[in-house]
């Protein structure tokens, strides 16, 4: 039997502006649930990312039903879990931990399905032959998998840490077939973007705590579509600049909602209403919903 009371949380760095608590709690209220969502911010605690294991164990011991995991812990948390879902194992990244009976901690990844659902809804007809992605961390692994699942011909992963981009590209080629992914350093970004159909941004740049552009605005052009993972603010400097040039764009709000809906389902066993949650994030972020 499903319960009617839940305690969940979010572990990450600089998560004060997160809308996850409101998204989860609003949907729970509509379903008549008692649902408390707490922020466990590494910056507030003065803790290093490597403390994620201790925090997961503490949450389990305190009776939490589950946790969301965000930057910079989506990969670090894996060694502290008892099991992984097939998708989380394939990705090598976890954004949702469910505490099962006996305190068994199982890692899942709802970022893949979240980004795929948002992209299909917001950029349904864009070309996908050549995609450039910035960021090879936990979110980057998820959105690259999603892009290739959606039919991208080739994804080139660009990261400031070349070995991280190479590891992700190798994993993608093993999963999707040789030649579907490549790795590159930031120095090659001008040439890559000049010939790309679109760019996916999956680094923290643009978040409230990390403002700015992830690359020079001069590299944008009207034919290039731009998909953002950051959702707070919904209109990052990258999206603002791209829209001004006439680029087709996708903000991070849809991914945030669809991954939250999937996590809510894992925590509670109940079906969330993603349409209501999309209206929630538009209101919470102070944005007008995009026309359908």
């Amino acid at each position: 039997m499903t319960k009617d009371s839940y305690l969940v949380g979010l572990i990450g760095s600089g998560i004060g502006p997160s809308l996850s608590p409101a998204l989860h709690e609003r949907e729970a209220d509509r379903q008549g649930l008692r649902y408390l969502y707490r922020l466990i911010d590494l910056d507030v605690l003065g803790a290093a990312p490597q403390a994620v294991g201790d925090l997961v164990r503490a949450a389990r011991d305190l009776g939490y039903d589950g946790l969301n995991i965000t930057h910079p812990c989506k990969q670090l948390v894996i060694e502290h879990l008892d099991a992984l879902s097939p998708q989380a194992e394939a990705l090598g990244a976890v954004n949702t931990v469910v505490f099962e009976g006996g305190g068994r901690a199982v890692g899942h990844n709802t970022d893949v399905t979240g980004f795929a659902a948002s992209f299909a809804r917001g950029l349904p007809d864009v070309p996908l032959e050549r995609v450039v992605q910035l960021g090879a961390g936990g979110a980057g692994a998820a959105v690259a998998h999603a892009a290739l699942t959606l039919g991208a011909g080739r994804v080139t992963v660009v990261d400031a840490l070349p070995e991280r981009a190479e590891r992700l590209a190798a994993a993608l080629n093993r999963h999707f077939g040789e030649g579907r992914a490549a790795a590159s350093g930031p120095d090659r970004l001008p040439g890559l973007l000049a010939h790309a159909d679109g760019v996916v941004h999956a680094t923290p740049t643009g978040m409230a705590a990390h403002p700015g552009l992830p690359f020079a605005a001069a590299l944008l052009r009207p034919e290039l579509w731009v998909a953002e993972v950051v959702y707070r603010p919904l209109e990052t400097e990258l999206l603002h600049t791209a829209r001004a040039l006439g680029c087709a764009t996708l903000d991070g709000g849809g991914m945030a909602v669809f991954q939250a809906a999937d996590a809510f389902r894992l925590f509670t066993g109940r079906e969330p209403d993603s349409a209501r949650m999309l209206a929630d994030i538009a209101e919470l972020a102070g944005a007008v919903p995009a026309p359908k």
Side-chain angles (χ1 to χ4, degrees):
M1 293 180 62
T2 55
K3 308 189 305 176
D4 61 5
S5 178
Y6 295 88
L7 174 61
V8 300
L10 171 66
I11 296 176
S13 176
I15 55 176
S18 174
L19 297 180
S20 290
L23 283 174
H24 280 251
E25 290 177 353
R26 282 187 175 205
E27 180 59 20
D29 286 346
R30 289 189 289 256
Q31 299 205 21
L33 303 176
R34 296 179 62 194
Y35 196 104
L36 182 60
Y37 192 114
R38 292 191 176 280
L39 295 180
I40 305 170
D41 195 324
L42 297 173
D43 294 351
V44 173
L45 294 174
Q50 290 73 20
V52 65
D54 292 333
L55 294 172
V56 168
R57 285 186 287 274
R60 177 198 62 200
D61 294 344
L62 288 168
Y64 277 64
D65 295 288
L67 296 165
N68 284 135
I69 309 293
T70 191
H71 174 79
C73 300
K74 291 182 180 183
Q75 293 160 321
L76 293 170
V77 73
I78 289 176
E79 65 182 285
H80 305 288
L81 304 177
D82 298 305
L84 298 176
S85 70
Q87 192 161 70
E89 188 167 14
L91 287 170
V94 163
N95 79 325
T96 302
V97 176
V98 177
F99 295 117
E100 297 183 347
R104 188 167 177 264
V106 180
H108 301 263
N109 195 301
T110 67
D111 283 333
V112 179
T113 51
F115 183 79
S118 178
F119 195 97
R121 176 180 179 273
L123 292 173
D125 301 315
V126 295
L128 289 170
E129 187 57 35
R130 296 179 300 274
V131 176
V132 175
Q133 177 179 304
L134 274 69
V143 297
H145 271 75
L148 288 167
T149 299
L150 288 166
R154 182 180 176 92
V155 173
T156 302
V157 181
V158 178
D159 196 276
L161 300 174
E163 63 278 7
R164 189 162 69 167
E166 289 164 8
R167 282 197 302 271
L168 177 54
L172 292 167
N173 283 325
R174 285 194 299 271
H175 191 77
F176 292 96
E178 199 60 38
R180 298 293 301 282
S184 183
D187 57 310
R188 292 188 57 216
L189 196 56
L192 290 170
L193 290 180
H195 298 95
D197 295 311
V199 58
V200 179
H201 175 237
T203 85
T205 303
M207 292 172 61
H210 305 278
L213 281 170
F215 55 83
L219 300 183
L220 292 168
R221 51 190 170 80
E223 302 81 12
L224 193 73
W225 56 258
V226 180
E228 178 69 89
V229 170
V230 173
Y231 75 91
R232 190 68 186 269
L234 273 181
E235 177 149 300
T236 61
E237 189 172 344
L238 173 62
L239 289 187
H240 178 77
T241 305
R243 284 174 181 153
L245 285 172
C247 300
T249 61
L250 178 71
D251 65 47
M255 179 181 177
V257 164
F258 289 114
Q259 69 81 19
D262 289 346
F264 184 92
R265 188 183 300 107
L266 286 168
F267 292 148
T268 68
R270 297 169 186 260
E271 190 62 32
D273 187 327
S274 57
R276 292 187 302 195
M277 295 175 74
L278 284 166
D280 286 337
I281 202 166
E283 178 189 339
L284 290 163
V288 176
K292 296 182 179 179

